[in-house]
Amino acid sequence: MRFLFSRLALLSSLLLLAVVARAQEPPAAGAARIKAVQALPPDSTKVKALITLSDDVLSADNAAAMRYAQQALALARRLRDPLATIKSLGAVGYVATQTGDLVLATQSHQQALALIHPDRPPESRLLFTNLLGLANAYTEQGNFEEAEGYYRQLAARVAAPTTVRQRFNQMVCYHSMGIFYGVWRQSGRAPARVKALALRYPRRAVAACRALHEPVNLTFALISLGQALQDAGRPDSAAYYARQGVALARAQRNPQTQYMAYQLLTTAVYAQGQWAASAAAARQALALVREVGNPADEAQIQHNLGRALAKNGDGLGAYAAAQASQRLRDTLQTTERTRALAQLQVSFKTREQQAQILALQQRNRLAAQAQELARLRTRQERAGLGTLALLALAGAGGVVWQYRRRQAVRLAAEATALRRRLAADLHDDVGNLLTQLNLQSGLLSEAHAYTPAQVAARLETLAATARRAAQQMSDVVWGLGAARRTLPELLAHMRDHAQEVLPPAGVDVEFATALDPACPAPPAEAQQQLYLIYKEALHNVVKHARATLVQVNLQQTPAGLVLTVAD
C-alpha cells in the first residue's frame, strides 16, 4: 500500500502547505502576467509576486517555477530584506521537494531556519512551514530519524494552540506526522515504537479536522487513518473509516479524494474476504480515476479489481482486468522511455551520443517485442487452462446438483424446527419487553408525582427497553432465514453488529477468520445460538470492559466452529 501513502503525502502537502502560505489561490499565470511581474520595480513587492508566480506555474513547468523562485531569492538578498529572504528560501525548498531535488530542498529550508528569530512575529510564522518542509525533504530521502526530530519540534510547537491559525497548524502537523510514520513503517526499517505512532497521529489529525470543521482535510485524514489501520492488520476498522471518507468525498463532489477512498475500501474489504464488495469498490474507483486522469493509479486499481474478481469466481472478468492493468503499465513504461529518450536527444549533441540514442531505441524495440511475445504466449496458456477448467466444472456440476438436492431436504426440516423455536423466543423475550414498555408508560402517566429528574430517568429507561425490544425483534427476524444462510453470510452479520456497537463506543474491532466458504454451514439452530453468544459478549465488552480493541476469532475445526472474543 506504499503507493496510497505516497499519493496522500503528495496531495495533502500540496493542499495544506498552499493554505498555510496564502489564504486563497491566485489566478493562473499567463504570458501577460509574467511580463507584468518581470516589469515590477526591484523591491519586496516584486519578491512576493515572483514567489506567487513560481507556485502558480509549478504543476505545468517545473523549470520555470524554480527559475522564478531563485529570482525572488536573488532579489531578496540584494535588498538585504531578511523576511523576504526567508520566504524566498522556503519557496525554493518547496519547489525543489516537489521536483525531486531533495539536496537543494534540504539546504534551502536549513538556511531559512538559520535566519529565523522566533521572538520576531513576522519571522516566527514562517518557522512552522520551513520545519515542515525540511521534515518532508528528509522523509523523501529516506532519512526517517532526522525527519522525526523536526516533526517532534513541530508537535511541541502546536501542543497547546490558542488561535485558529495555531489549531490549523496543529491539524497540518498531525496529518503530516501520520503519513510520515506510515511511510516509515512501510519501509521495513522502522523500530517497534513506530507501529503505535502510525495510528496515534492519524487519529489526532481526524479529531483536529473535525474540531476545525475542515471537510476536505478531514477526508484526507480519514483515508490516512484507514490506511494506517489496514497496514496494522485491522481491515474492519479500515473499512469503517474508508466508508466515512467515501461519504465525505461524495458530498464534496471531489473525484480525486473519492477514488482514493474507494482504493482503500477495495483493499480493506478484500482483506475481510468480501470479494464481491471489493470488486464493487474497485469499479467505483476505476470510474473516478479515469475522470481525474491518473494512469498509474488506474493500473493499480485494475490489478485490485482483477484480484477481487478472481476470488469471487469471475475468471473472465479477472483476466480482462489483469490485461487492462498490464496494458496501462506498458503504456506508462513506454511513455517514461519516450520522455527519457527525448531528454537524451536534447542533451546529446555529438554523433557518438546520437549513436547511443539509436542503440537505446533499438534495445527498447527489442524489449517491447520480447514483452509482446511473452504476453501472447501467456494468453495462449491461459486460454488452454480455461478450457480445461470449464470441462472440469461441467463434470462436477452433476455431482454438486445431486448433493445440493439432498441438502435442501435436510435443511427444510431444520428450518421448520428453527421457526418453531424462534416463535417461542418471540413470544417469551419480545413479549416480556413489550409488557415492560406497557408498565413503564403507565407509570409515566403519573408524571405529576415525580420530579423532572425522575421523569427523565424513567423516559431513558423506557427508551432503552424499546431499543432492546427492537434489537430482539431484528435478531428473531434474522434468525428465520438462518437455514438458508452460509458461513460468509453469518460472518457478515456478525461484522455488521460489531460495527453498530463498538466504533460508536470508541472501540476498534479486528476479525481473524479461518473459514472455508466451500464447507457446509452448521445447522440453523447452532448458527442462532452462536450469534446470541457473540452478541452477549460484545454487550459485556461495551458495558464492563475498558478496551480500545476487540479481537474476534472465528475458526472451523474438525470438532466444529470455535468463537473467541478478546479485549
Side-chain angles (χ1 to χ4, degrees):
M1 301 308 165
R2 177 65 181 272
F3 77 95
L4 186 53
F5 269 122
S6 300
R7 183 63 58 191
L8 278 169
L10 175 61
L11 290 175
S12 60
S13 64
L14 287 172
L15 173 68
L16 299 173
L17 287 178
V19 174
V20 170
R22 59 188 190 276
Q24 61 182 7
E25 185 178 354
R33 181 170 166 233
I34 293 173
K35 291 181 180 179
V37 171
Q38 296 291 6
L40 289 173
D43 55 15
S44 58
T45 301
K46 185 173 182 178
V47 173
K48 183 178 180 181
L50 285 169
I51 292 173
T52 303
L53 185 60
S54 170
D55 196 26
D56 292 344
V57 302
L58 177 59
S59 60
D61 190 343
N62 294 339
M66 180 59 73
R67 183 170 63 253
Y68 296 138
Q70 290 177 337
Q71 288 178 11
L73 177 59
L75 178 56
R77 283 174 171 168
R78 284 203 308 271
L79 296 172
R80 297 182 179 180
D81 186 338
L83 186 61
T85 302
I86 294 169
K87 291 180 178 178
S88 301
L89 285 167
V92 172
Y94 178 70
V95 175
T97 299
Q98 300 305 320
T99 57
D101 192 348
L102 301 177
V103 174
L104 178 59
T106 303
Q107 293 173 349
S108 300
H109 287 303
Q110 286 176 339
Q111 291 174 19
L113 290 172
L115 295 174
I116 291 175
H117 294 274
D119 55 343
R120 297 178 184 172
E123 297 178 15
S124 63
R125 285 195 291 268
L126 300 173
L127 181 61
F128 178 86
T129 54
N130 280 282
L131 281 172
L132 181 59
L134 189 55
N136 287 338
Y138 277 120
T139 301
E140 291 293 326
Q141 295 175 46
N143 191 347
F144 299 109
E145 291 78 9
E146 193 74 23
E148 186 182 33
Y150 289 102
Y151 277 123
R152 288 189 179 277
Q153 291 184 46
L154 284 171
R157 291 187 63 83
V158 301
T162 57
T163 66
V164 174
R165 183 185 183 90
Q166 290 173 352
R167 287 196 293 272
F168 185 87
N169 286 349
Q170 184 187 65
M171 176 192 71
V172 174
C173 175
Y174 289 160
H175 184 69
S176 300
M177 291 182 74
I179 295 174
F180 161 73
Y181 282 114
V183 173
W184 192 0
R185 183 178 180 185
Q186 288 282 355
S187 70
R189 297 185 283 113
R193 60 184 176 82
V194 172
K195 181 178 180 181
L197 297 173
L199 289 174
R200 178 187 304 168
Y201 285 101
R203 292 185 189 278
R204 291 182 177 180
V206 169
C209 290
R210 284 177 171 154
L212 281 171
H213 304 289
E214 285 276 347
V216 176
N217 292 325
L218 177 58
T219 306
F220 283 112
L222 287 170
I223 297 172
S224 180
L225 175 57
Q227 183 59 53
L229 288 164
Q230 174 74 1
D231 186 47
R234 302 182 187 177
D236 298 90
S237 297
Y240 174 77
Y241 290 107
R243 290 188 178 96
Q244 289 190 16
V246 167
L248 268 178
R250 292 182 64 181
Q252 299 156 19
R253 297 183 179 180
N254 187 336
Q256 182 81 57
T257 50
Q258 280 188 69
Y259 90 74
M260 291 172 61
Y262 275 118
Q263 274 184 287
L264 173 59
L265 184 60
T266 299
T267 56
V269 296
Y270 181 91
Q272 293 176 347
Q274 299 182 23
W275 323 125
S278 179
R283 288 193 176 99
Q284 292 282 357
L286 191 60
L288 290 161
V289 77
R290 286 171 176 168
E291 180 180 346
V292 173
N294 190 323
D297 281 356
E298 184 178 352
Q300 183 63 43
I301 293 169
Q302 287 279 19
H303 172 74
N304 292 339
L305 175 60
R307 287 196 315 165
L309 291 174
K311 287 288 187 179
N312 203 39
D314 186 357
L316 293 177
Y319 179 72
Q323 287 279 33
S325 176
Q326 189 59 48
R327 282 196 301 271
L328 285 167
R329 295 181 193 277
D330 292 344
T331 302
L332 288 170
Q333 290 176 0
T334 302
T335 303
E336 190 63 31
R337 291 193 191 105
T338 303
R339 185 183 297 112
L341 188 58
Q343 292 173 351
L344 286 173
Q345 288 173 335
V346 171
S347 61
F348 293 167
K349 297 180 180 179
T350 65
R351 292 182 179 180
E352 181 180 359
Q353 291 168 337
Q354 290 293 336
Q356 292 176 356
I357 293 175
L358 291 175
L360 178 60
Q361 289 176 329
Q362 183 64 24
R363 284 198 298 272
N364 286 339
R365 281 196 295 269
L366 291 175
Q369 291 173 0
Q371 189 177 26
E372 182 64 22
L373 288 173
R375 187 159 53 249
L376 289 173
R377 191 179 301 111
T378 302
R379 184 183 302 173
Q380 291 174 352
E381 292 174 354
R382 289 179 177 174
L385 291 174
T387 303
L388 292 175
L390 288 175
L391 292 174
L393 287 173
V399 177
V400 172
W401 180 80
Q402 291 290 340
Y403 170 77
R404 287 184 175 177
R405 191 166 65 86
R406 291 192 294 270
Q407 282 288 97
V409 175
R410 182 179 62 82
L411 290 176
E414 293 179 356
T416 301
L418 177 62
R419 287 190 179 89
R420 292 196 187 99
R421 186 179 59 78
L422 289 175
D425 290 344
L426 185 65
H427 178 270
D428 296 340
D429 297 338
V430 180
N432 182 39
L433 290 172
L434 292 175
T435 301
Q436 293 182 32
L437 286 172
N438 184 33
L439 292 174
Q440 290 168 3
S441 61
L443 291 174
L444 282 175
S445 64
E446 302 177 2
H448 63 275
Y450 302 106
T451 65
Q454 290 174 328
V455 171
R458 291 186 179 277
L459 284 172
E460 178 61 27
T461 302
L462 183 63
T465 304
R467 286 194 296 269
R468 286 165 48 208
Q471 183 62 40
Q472 186 68 26
M473 180 72 74
S474 175
D475 290 342
V476 169
V477 172
W478 179 83
L480 290 174
R484 301 186 302 274
R485 290 194 171 90
T486 62
L487 282 176
E489 290 174 330
L490 172 63
L491 179 61
H493 189 63
M494 295 171 69
R495 289 181 189 275
D496 290 341
H497 184 70
Q499 293 294 341
E500 291 174 1
V501 172
L502 297 179
V507 182
D508 289 330
V509 59
E510 177 181 350
F511 273 84
T513 60
L515 302 177
D516 184 1
C519 292
E525 184 174 357
Q527 290 188 44
Q528 183 71 6
Q529 296 299 329
L530 177 68
Y531 176 73
L532 292 176
I533 294 170
Y534 167 78
K535 178 181 171 184
E536 181 66 20
L538 294 191
H539 173 75
N540 290 337
V541 167
V542 173
K543 186 175 181 181
H544 302 294
R546 297 178 179 177
T548 59
L549 172 66
V550 171
Q551 294 177 323
V552 180
N553 189 355
L554 185 63
Q555 293 183 330
Q556 195 168 24
T557 67
L561 290 178
V562 177
L563 173 66
T564 305
V565 179
D567 58 42

